[in-house]
Amino acid sequence: MPSLKNIISKLCHSPRQDTHTPTRPAVSPALPVSSVTTIPAAKKAVKSKKKTKTKAKVAKMKISSRECNGDDGEVDDSHSRSPSPDPTIETWQMETDAVTVIEKQDKLSAPIKNDIEQNSMVKLASKLNGAVVSLKKAPSKEKPNKDQLFMTALHTTNPFKTIATRKESSPSLPESLTSCLRSSLFPRVPPYLKFISHDETIPLKIPTAIQKHLKWKLTTITPIVVKKTLTNSGFRLVKSECDTAECPQEETVDWIGIWGKHMKSIMFRAIKDGQKMNHFPGTFQIGRKDRLWRNLQKLASKYGVAEFGIMPKTYVLPHDLKILKHDWEKYAANNERWIIKPPASARGTGIKVVSRWTQIPKKKPVVVQRYVSKPYLINGSKFDLRLYVLVTSVHPLRIYLYKDGLARFASVKYNDELSSLNDRYMHLTNYSINRLSKNYTPNEDFAACEGHKWTLQTLFQYLKTEQNVDINALWESIKDLVIKTIIAGEASISSLTKANITSRYNCYELFGIDVLLDEDLKPWLLEVNISPSLHSASPLDIHVKGPLVAAVLNAAQFHVPRAEQAGLPYDSRLYTVYLSKEERDKHIIYTNMEDRDLYLRDILSTLTPDDVRHLLQAEDELTQSGALQRVFPTRHSHKYLPYLAGPRYYNRLFDAWETRYADDREPGVELLRALCDMGYHLQTPGVPLKRAAAQQLDRCRMTWTRRRRPPRRGPPCPRSRRSGPLRSRSGPSLPQAPRAPAQTRCPARRLSRRPPRCSPAPSAAPAASPSPSPPSPSPSSSPSPPPPSPPRTDLNMNECDEKEHC
Ligand code: ADP
């Protein structure tokens, strides 16, 4: 039971408990959606009564959701866990919304429920901090004022500019936490974890209450620089599928981040709320060379080659063999060169430059591409660019381009004679190939134009000063290529994400995009790597990739999970994908609007709670951009919107937002702050029951961590070493059969794997899954990466760029 001192302290440190339950902003009657979001004044009195009931209901639901622990599949997961006081961090509590406050009150002991005592506490609290705090909510006498303010939310007006911004509007963290957490720009938004560089000599100081939650699941491809960044930032790296005495399986369950291989879209359903993975479903649509080409080809045929001819013409064999033959003959007179590549490989594997028809495999699945035979040369050598591109959200699309990168040179000087086509050191620029050449010179100095690898920054400097190149124009054309490349996969990624992800928190992705400059400095897209190598053995590599990793993790915005103890909870409501009826209506209206001017004029006038959630995340994210330049959305990126598969609501919302606030963000931020201050952004609809049940089913189906066996009756497996009670995270210790360490598992154990308890009826199985079903799933709360080396299917993709050992 919380002590009175604690409660008073809470009151003193929660300056916004006086805020009433947020009401929806009303809108100008002139606006097309006014009927959707305006709360008619006459209904308000009734509503305020109803609200009290609803709150009580929600509070009940919360409690019951905890009790059933999500097992029955009908838990309303869109509601957050509320924080509880942490003895180690008493001085700061995240502000909670009105609902949580009520729930807390419910939990307090009976005397505290007593109004008189409450009021005396309020008085005491008011005396202590000088703030007007009222637990007993003043019936909405003041509400209309705020609503009226919302009503003035016309096209160019910030309705809150008349409200003096309160100093404490952005929660300030106590000093003990500022080293490891960054507060949001907005009240009632939990802070984000800070990631520091891999080479920081003093690791972050993190209170134990937080640190115990910082678990990162290791995979076989987690790069060293990522591991260093994580350990410096206070994370514990837990092994995948580990099940030994030192690292029992339970320990690996509650990880909050993973840096692993891409996996099949359906596997993403196993990612839990509060966990983040470095991929989106469906990115193989740009990660495979054949799919990338097909997607770009569609756009080129629709919008013209002038816009989408960003990749050298490609033929996907054997399907395109006839067309290739036709074009081959057409260009034969020019002694055209072609390059043959496997459709889903990397590091130059299986690549050949050819000029004779007989060299073309007629039946094998390969891509054949026109060879860019006049590349831009520096000191006579060909080079390509490695760009790093971060996508933090697909709908709305948010793309960042890292300002640094790599220029990788071929180790033999270039000529375009037919006789030299076999020289891979001349025609291919992959590091993994050229490092084997006797001519290869490493470049240890990131600032030097030496050797066969330069940083992008050094290259640009060189082009500017030595070659008089307009690098601003070059950067613009690179940005254009990057945006179009991501747009090429947007439709599929977006629909697979929608189908398989139930929290917008779950995904972000870093891409490595390879580009070749031709003699006119036109950038040509060569390929997209969905797991770009972050191998950083040389000082030059680490100079580029070290800060990149920290920047990516910071922009991905991790919260402290389950840290009720620390009062910093991850709040799942902020990332819900579910919309209220009003929100859905607004989406329909603005998605169907044909005229950009119309939506620009109106879409921001009626911000819904869901709009606010999206906008605030993007604003918080933008504060982390630093070396990552946001290239989409920007003030000018609306020109790309027509290229998307269809009009998309959130992209329009951001178009309007950027058009209005790109040059001066503060009024926009202030508007969002005021809305968050009221807890408006925390209004979420419940998870539809059907969907919740389906999700639960999916989770059972998709997790494939080993199922815990019931206690064994017979003698323990002879090779088993471990015995003793099963360590349970939350409940009491359970009696457990002796367990063998993972490596020495008894074969009988493997054979005895059973289908999961809630294994789906055939009709409930995801019929959409185009791929072979995953390895036998078992009900566990933790997803694991795919099993080792799954057979390559057409859904496998360019999984790994250059491996750690390259
Ligand atoms: P991988 O995924 O195996 O690295 P890439 O498509 O990146 O395959 O090609 C490897 C190298 O081959 C590139 O770095 C580039 O130097 C060269 N290359 C690829 N495609 C072309 C092309 N169309 N024209 C000229 N050179 C190319």
Side-chain angles (χ1 to χ4, degrees), residues 549-697:
V549 169
V552 165
L553 296 176
N554 279 317
Q557 310 207 112
F558 286 75
H559 291 295
V560 187
R562 299 163 175 269
E564 291 92 345
Q565 293 300 310
L568 311 161
Y570 157 79
D571 190 332
S572 57
R573 286 173 299 178
L574 287 168
Y575 300 95
T576 182
V577 290
Y578 302 111
L579 300 176
S580 65
K581 162 101 176 56
E582 290 83 357
E583 286 163 343
R584 282 199 304 273
D585 288 347
K586 187 182 175 193
H587 279 221
I588 293 167
I589 289 168
Y590 285 99
T591 309
N592 289 326
M593 214 170 254
E594 297 212 333
D595 194 349
R596 177 169 180 256
D597 287 340
L598 258 188
Y599 76 72
L600 282 191
R601 204 195 65 181
D602 291 345
I603 199 167
L604 297 180
S605 314
T606 55
L607 292 183
T608 65
D610 175 65
D611 292 341
V612 174
R613 287 192 287 274
H614 278 83
L615 292 167
L616 76 86
Q617 275 144 30
E619 286 302 321
D620 271 344
E621 193 179 280
L622 202 56
T623 64
Q624 296 308 296
S625 49
L628 291 163
Q629 182 179 5
R630 193 164 85 179
V631 294
F632 193 102
T634 64
R635 193 159 181 4
H636 306 288
S637 59
H638 60 89
K639 65 176 178 192
Y640 296 100
L641 293 184
Y643 303 144
L644 294 166
R648 294 209 188 274
Y649 173 79
Y650 292 121
N651 291 333
R652 290 184 162 191
L653 177 77
F654 276 82
D655 179 15
W657 187 259
E658 289 306 308
T659 304
R660 191 177 296 178
Y661 297 115
D663 297 335
D664 178 13
R665 308 204 79 81
E666 198 41 42
V669 169
E670 201 187 308
L671 167 67
L672 296 178
R673 255 186 214 139
L675 288 165
C676 292
D677 208 23
M678 303 171 70
Y680 185 64
H681 62 310
L682 296 175
Q683 284 191 359
T684 51
V687 178
L689 284 186
K690 257 191 193 168
R691 186 84 190 238
Q695 260 170 285
Q696 198 63 32
L697 191 63

Side-chain angles (χ1 to χ4, degrees), residues 289 312-313 338-339 341-342 344-351 353 369-373 375 382-384 386 408 410 414 426-433 514-516 524-529 798 801:
K289 295 178 178 80
K313 187 157 187 193
W338 305 82
I339 187 163
K341 310 177 186 183
S345 193
R347 293 180 278 148
T349 316
I351 296 193
V353 184
Q369 199 170 66
R370 286 189 71 183
Y371 187 67
V372 179
S373 56
K382 172 180 174 176
F383 62 94
D384 76 350
R386 161 53 58 89
R408 299 163 305 181
Y414 187 80
M426 178 191 293
H427 292 280
L428 308 189
T429 50
N430 301 77
Y431 164 71
S432 24
I433 288 177
D514 291 349
V515 163
L516 184 74
W524 288 97
L525 172 66
L526 297 182
E527 64 155 343
V528 178
N529 289 287
N798 205 350
D801 179 14

Side-chain angles (χ1 to χ4, degrees), residues 781-801:
S781 49
S782 164
S784 321
S789 330
R792 282 204 170 251
T793 69
D794 67 332
L795 276 193
N796 280 4
M797 66 300 300
N798 205 350
E799 278 174 343
C800 187
D801 179 14

Side-chain angles (χ1 to χ4, degrees), residues 7 64 87 175 217 260 296 343 350 369 414 518 677 693 730 792:
I7 294 160
S64 63
E175 226 172 273
K217 187 160 182 168
L296 282 169
Q369 199 170 66
Y414 187 80
D518 70 11
D677 208 23
S730 48
R792 282 204 170 251

